[in-house]
């Protein structure tokens, strides 16, 4: 019976060693790997203007069913990460003069390839249904991206 207890203790000790080694391996892996957390970017002074020149010429929505107007949305971006942010998605709400949501199915309006650390300007092009009356109201604009290249 004493031999059986000794065998059980040896097995328990082996399981404990394997568990501790596994935990140490996990901790080391997380410590070494670079975090891929999204960087939240504050957007301020967000305005819009109609596209100029050929930008947005003959723009349509809904598979070519609805005519659309082209607008450039511009503003300032504040990147607090200290690093360049890549592939930053721009989110926001656009309302027409009557308070109707001009793009009810979309909160993501576009993307900016790179946003440098600190303060910089940004712009994206959007298509709004032509029947939406102006002036447009831009609300809740923000951006989110990664401080490292993301494979697409």
């Amino acid at each position: 019976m004493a031999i059986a207890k000794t065998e059980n203790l040896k097995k328990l000790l082996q399981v404990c060693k394997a568990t501790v080694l596994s935990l140490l391996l996990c901790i080391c892996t997380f410590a070494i790997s670079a975090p891929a957390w999204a960087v939240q970017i504050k957007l301020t002074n967000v305005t819009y203007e109609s596209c100029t020149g050929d930008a947005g010429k003959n723009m349509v929505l809904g598979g070519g069913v609805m005519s659309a107007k082209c607008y450039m949305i511009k503003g300032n971006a504040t990147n607090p990460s200290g690093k360049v942010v890549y592939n930053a998605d721009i989110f926001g709400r656009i309302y027409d003069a009557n308070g109707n949501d001009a793009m009810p199915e979309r909160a993501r309006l576009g993307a900016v390839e790179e946003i440098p650390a600190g303060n910089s300007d940004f712009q994206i092009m959007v298509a709004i249904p032509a029947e939406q009356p102006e002036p447009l109201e831009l609300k809740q604009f923000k951006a989110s991206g990664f401080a490292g290249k993301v494979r697409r």
Side-chain angles (χ1 to χ4, degrees):
M1 189 176 244
I3 295 174
K5 285 185 180 180
T6 306
E7 293 287 325
N8 288 339
L9 284 175
K10 284 182 182 180
K11 286 181 183 179
L12 182 62
L13 189 57
Q14 286 178 339
V15 170
C16 288
K17 283 181 184 179
T19 303
V20 169
L21 287 174
S22 297
L23 287 172
L24 284 173
L25 182 63
C26 287
I27 290 170
C28 289
T29 301
F30 287 121
I32 293 171
S33 63
W37 296 312
V39 176
Q40 300 302 313
I41 297 166
K42 185 177 179 183
L43 303 180
T44 56
N45 302 320
V46 180
T47 61
Y48 73 94
E49 59 187 46
S50 295
C51 295
T52 57
D54 287 340
K57 186 178 178 185
N58 302 320
M59 214 175 231
V60 292
L61 294 171
V65 179
M66 297 172 29
S67 62
K69 289 183 186 175
C70 173
Y71 295 97
M72 293 300 289
I73 296 178
K74 301 177 179 186
N76 304 109
T78 303
N79 173 2
S81 73
K83 299 178 182 177
V84 175
V85 169
Y86 298 95
N87 304 323
D89 291 319
I90 306 292
F91 300 92
R93 306 302 302 178
I94 302 174
Y95 298 94
D96 68 12
N98 299 322
N100 297 318
D101 196 342
M103 301 176 82
E105 302 293 320
R106 295 178 55 194
R108 181 189 176 277
L109 301 173
V112 176
E113 193 70 27
E114 291 182 7
I115 298 179
N119 296 320
S120 62
D121 295 329
F122 79 93
Q123 70 176 18
I124 58 171
M125 184 187 307
V126 296
I128 304 290
E131 70 271 1
Q132 301 292 136
E134 290 188 49
L136 300 177
E137 188 176 359
L138 309 176
K139 290 186 173 184
Q140 300 171 344
F141 271 71
K142 62 183 177 179
S144 179
F146 297 92
K149 291 245 181 191
V150 177
R151 284 188 253 155
R152 287 191 171 200

